[in-house]
Amino acid sequence: MNLILRGRVWKFGDNISGDDGIINMEVVRTQNYNPDELRKICMWRYVPDFYKKTQKGDIIIAGEAFAHPPHPPVVIALKSCGISAVIAKSFGHGFIRKSLNMGLAAIVSPNALEIGEQGDIVEVDPLEGEVRNITKGTSYKINPLPEFMVEMLEADGLVPYLKREFASQASAGSK
Amino acid sequence: MPSTMVEKIIAKHSEEPLVSPGEYVMIKPDYSVSSEPKWQVIENMIKDVGAKGFVHPERVVLVIDHSCEVTTHGPIYEYHNLMRSTAKAQGVEHFYDIGRVGLRHQVMVEEGLARPGGLFFSDEGNLANAGAVGALNFAITYEVYVTMIREKNWLRVPESMRIKAVGKWRRGVTARDLGQRICADLGPVGGAEKAHQYEGDAVYSLSMDERMNLLSLHYHTGSDTAVMKPDALALDYVRSRTREPFEVVESDPGAHYSDVLEYNVSQLEPEVAPPPSPSNSKPISDSLGVEINEACIASCGGGRLDDLRAGARILKGRKVHPGVRMFITPISQEIYKAAVDEGLLGIFSEAGAMVLPPSCSTCWGYLGRMQAGEVMIATHQENYQGRNGSREAQVYLANPYVVAASAVAGKIADPRPLLEAN
């Protein structure tokens, strides 16, 4: 098992709003969890038509308080645009747990903004705790994630991870 | 390596001898606690992942506390029978139906399930009232189902921040005022990925009720949990509730903290938080004179016996203003009975306030809803737009003395002159 996340950098600053910037208050109020609708509004405040510009595997790096406040549609919107990881100096409360459980690698790192510039190709190795900037030929240390967490990300989140676990328990005949 | 009490309690429930902030660990909690609003979704999730049943039913705590009155607002009372039948089928001993104990926050402490050195997962951050007995609550909403169906779930270890309060509590100022001031000072993200550790002689001079109110407010700062080292008063409380063994855990000297906040409560005024959040709290003078239509003493942050006593001190011999309706909710049967025995309910009734059954009641807008243009003052947890009925209504948050004084005046009023008169 070696999960490597590879993609182009999207670089943001501080205080990127979750409910009122990555998504909007309307989808929060109506509890809209539809990925097809959420991807079209994703990052509406900061990058018009973000969903048309992203590629699967792209990686966001950001400053302080990324995605505050983070109702679940924030994570769904980012994932539906293909974002595979977010590395930030700090996150809105609740974002880390929601993200990791939905298979989006959210990593706190004080050096988040040093990792690269907009458009650089980077590789994130969560188990090793390393980010390699392929474009610039540099590398950076980040806090590693433990094996169980990387397994959960590989399974694309908590629910698929649990399904796998209970399915193998059922076939093994154990409780 | 010196550790904080939060780090030590987490380590005790994990596979590690020591843990550090920022680490991810697998936790075996003492309990997994859920109320009924999310129960249908939780059952669907359990089925969806293919789980067959609860691995340790004795560690599951299920409580009906949001919709005890079973009224027409929303479908959640339809989940009562689902929770009842699952509790029975799985052999859940700690199932609290309507009329049994009260809010799950009180179940945890009154039933002796929260104990020093303990750790449990629950659905909401305000269950950190359990921190008053030295137990850690971690709120993971729907995810509580995970440790119902398997041994462990993951946790990111928070940093600890010290919040120290010294000084003498002045008349009309309560633990809630300190709590609201902390919410305002830290703001909604100031506590993110952190745990509040409360200390100082002003914290320890508080009653158990007041300590619980204070700790229950922590999550408005974005923090993970709140705790204090249990003293003799707290340990007496625990021993009166349970014979189960427990371990008093305290922070090591030299442990690392992210912040140290210091307060002198002698300098505190009563606080009032205008909408839309507790972070908006300001000293009372900013809100005096705002006309109100409704006043509520209730919630896991303001419906305990000391809150009812505070309301009664103001309401005794006075009447609720003709333009105001007042609702008072004792948050457990035990508190309700004590209020009866102390003559408080009689004072409330004579004054013209409505006493409601032990439940979440007015706090989440299930009861006591407002129309457009109306204003409420309450000891609730939240005051965001639409919380208590119309999106064009407003909710101010304050301590029970302020709420009662405002109910009498018909507008937001300072309780302190009334307390001097008493």
Side-chain angles (χ1 to χ4, degrees), chain A residues 29 65 68 91-94 96-97 100-101 106 108 144-146 148-149 152 158-159 161-163 165-166 175, chain B residues 24-26 48-51 54-55 140 143 145-146 149-150 153-156 188-189 192-193 222-224 391:
Chain A
R29 242 194 324 272
H68 167 73
F91 290 99
H93 170 67
I96 293 178
R97 191 159 195 111
L100 293 171
N101 278 343
V108 177
L145 293 179
F148 72 80
M149 188 55 75
M152 192 173 81
L158 178 68
V159 169
Y161 181 76
L162 289 177
K163 278 183 175 170
E165 181 176 286
F166 284 104
K175 184 182 175 183
Chain B
Y24 291 89
V25 293
M26 291 301 276
D48 188 43
V49 299
F54 293 168
V55 291
I140 55 177
E143 242 188 290
Y145 80 89
V146 175
I149 59 175
R150 77 201 289 263
N153 198 1
W154 66 271
L155 193 65
R156 184 173 190 273
V189 295
E193 309 302 328
S223 45
D224 288 352
R391 291 180 60 77

Side-chain angles (χ1 to χ4, degrees), chain A residues 28-167:
Chain A
V28 174
R29 242 194 324 272
T30 57
Q31 297 190 58
N32 187 340
Y33 284 36
N34 184 328
D36 294 323
E37 290 172 27
L38 292 172
R39 65 185 277 269
K40 296 204 178 89
I41 62 165
C42 187
M43 285 290 184
W44 64 272
R45 194 184 276 286
Y46 308 105
V47 182
D49 291 336
F50 184 68
Y51 73 104
K52 288 185 181 161
K53 300 168 181 168
T54 54
Q55 287 172 10
K56 190 165 156 63
D58 279 357
I59 287 156
I60 289 176
I61 62 175
E64 303 280 3
F66 181 82
H68 167 73
H71 275 89
V74 170
V75 178
I76 299 171
L78 291 171
K79 279 205 72 182
S80 65
C81 289
I83 304 298
S84 65
V86 184
I87 304 174
K89 287 172 145 185
S90 66
F91 290 99
H93 170 67
F95 184 81
I96 293 178
R97 191 159 195 111
K98 289 180 176 86
S99 288
L100 293 171
N101 278 343
M102 285 201 238
L104 174 64
I107 298 169
V108 177
S109 199
N111 61 2
L113 293 174
E114 296 158 32
I115 283 168
E117 298 307 316
Q118 181 69 28
D120 287 353
I121 309 277
V122 298
E123 276 184 358
V124 180
D125 185 340
L127 200 61
E128 192 57 46
E130 193 175 65
V131 179
R132 296 179 282 275
N133 187 322
I134 308 299
T135 304
K136 295 197 159 54
T138 49
S139 74
Y140 306 86
K141 285 253 157 285
I142 57 173
N143 291 323
L145 293 179
E147 212 172 288
F148 72 80
M149 188 55 75
V150 177
E151 274 176 20
M152 192 173 81
L153 287 171
E154 261 194 329
D156 197 33
L158 178 68
V159 169
Y161 181 76
L162 289 177
K163 278 183 175 170
R164 222 169 50 186
E165 181 176 286
F166 284 104

Side-chain angles (χ1 to χ4, degrees), chain B residues 1-4 7 162 197 250-257:
Chain B
M1 193 189 76
S3 297
T4 67
E7 289 154 16
R162 294 173 64 191
Q197 178 183 297
E250 62 183 302
S251 296
D252 297 328
H256 171 76
Y257 296 90

Side-chain angles (χ1 to χ4, degrees), chain B residues 98-120:
Chain B
I98 296 167
R100 317 301 196 265
V101 185
L103 265 59
R104 62 209 183 287
H105 312 66
Q106 292 309 103
V107 166
M108 292 308 289
V109 293
E110 290 179 16
E111 295 283 289
L113 302 179
R115 298 181 288 273
L119 185 159
F120 57 92

